[in-house]
Amino acid sequence: MASSVVTALFGSYDLRNAKQWRDEDMTYREQEIQWLNDDIVRAHQWRSIDMERFLRREKMQSEHLVCEARAEQLSTVSEQSTLLCGFIIGAMCNVSIPENAHTYVVFVYTVSGTLVCVSMLICAVMCTNLQLAVTRYAAHTLEDSVRSMDMTQLEWDSPFSLWWLRRCEKEQVTAYKFMLFGVAVFFLYLGAVSWVQFYMSTAASLSISSLSFVGFLVWQLRIASKWRYLLAPPSPASGRIGLGSSARSALSQLYLSAPRTPLG
C-alpha cells in the first residue's frame, strides 16, 4: 500500500515535471520563432534602408550628370555666340568705309552687323544666366528634391528635367532662335562687307556675295532644317516611363521582391 502511494506520488511528480519542461520548451520555441521573426523584420528594414540609400545616391549621381551635360551644352552655345559677336565687332572696328561707298550698301552692312551682334549677345547672356540657374539648382535644390521623392519615383522621374521644362526650356529655345537668326543674318553681313571692303573689284565682291548666298542655302536647307526640331520643347512626360512598364531594372525587382511579412 505504501509502495503504491510512493509510486503514485513520484509518478505525479514526474508528470508534473515533464509537463513543466514541455511548457518551458514550447515557450522557448515560441520565443525562438519570435526572435527569428524579429531578425527577419529587422534585416528587411535594414535592407530596405540600404536599398533606399543606394537608389537615392544613384539618382543623385545621375541627376548631377544630367546637370553637367546641360551646363556644358549651354556653355558651348554661349562660347560660339560670343565668338561670332566678337568677330563682328572686330570686323566693324577694323573695316574702313570708303567715301564713295553706296548708301544702301553701308546701310545693309551696318544694320546686318548690328543685328548679328545684338542677337549673339542676347543668346550668350541668356545661356550664361541659364547656366548659372542650373549650377544653383544642382548646388542648393537638387539634393532636397531627390530626398523628397517617393521610392516608386526614383527610377522613373527626373526632378531636374521637370524643373528644366518648367523654368528654363522656353528661355533656351528663345536663345537658340536668337542664335539661328544671328547666323542667318551673318551671311547677309558677309555679302555686304564684300562690297565695302573690296569695292574696287566687282568680281571679288560678286564672288564673296555668291559664296555667302550658297552658304546661306546650305545653312537653311541642310543644317537648320535638319535640327529645327530642337526648337520644339519636349513634353514633361517624354522623359518618364510609366509605372506599368515591363522595363524594370534588376535592382528594382530585387527591392520589390524582398519579403515584407514575418514568418507565422
Side-chain angles (χ1 to χ4, degrees), residues 27-42 262-263:
T27 303
Y28 178 76
R29 290 179 180 274
E30 291 177 357
Q31 290 179 351
E32 278 190 334
I33 294 175
Q34 184 63 38
W35 293 338
L36 181 60
N37 290 336
D38 294 341
D39 290 340
I40 293 175
V41 172
R42 188 162 47 250
L263 296 176

Side-chain angles (χ1 to χ4, degrees), residues 152 155-156 237 239-250 252-253 256:
T152 57
E155 193 171 356
W156 318 115
R240 181 177 177 180
I241 304 175
L243 292 178
S245 175
S246 60
R248 292 184 175 180
S249 65
S252 296
Q253 291 180 357
L256 295 175

Side-chain angles (χ1 to χ4, degrees), residues 35-53 151 252-263:
W35 293 338
L36 181 60
N37 290 336
D38 294 341
D39 290 340
I40 293 175
V41 172
R42 188 162 47 250
H44 177 257
Q45 291 176 351
W46 291 345
R47 182 186 180 189
S48 300
I49 294 174
D50 292 339
M51 292 293 293
E52 181 178 357
R53 186 183 299 110
M151 284 294 297
S252 296
Q253 291 180 357
L254 182 63
Y255 174 76
L256 295 175
S257 62
R260 299 182 181 274
T261 56
L263 296 176

Side-chain angles (χ1 to χ4, degrees), residues 88-156:
I88 295 297
I89 293 177
M92 294 181 68
C93 293
N94 294 325
V95 172
S96 58
I97 301 177
E99 297 180 357
N100 57 348
H102 200 280
T103 306
Y104 294 108
V105 175
V106 176
F107 175 79
V108 173
Y109 164 72
T110 54
V111 171
S112 60
T114 304
L115 286 176
V116 174
C117 289
V118 171
S119 301
M120 292 302 173
L121 182 60
I122 293 176
C123 177
V125 171
M126 293 182 68
C127 290
T128 302
N129 290 333
L130 288 174
Q131 189 174 3
L132 293 176
V134 170
T135 305
R136 180 177 179 179
Y137 178 82
H140 300 285
T141 311
L142 180 59
E143 185 174 357
D144 295 335
S145 300
V146 174
R147 287 181 178 178
S148 62
M149 295 177 65
D150 189 72
M151 284 294 297
T152 57
Q153 299 175 340
L154 286 177
E155 193 171 356
W156 318 115

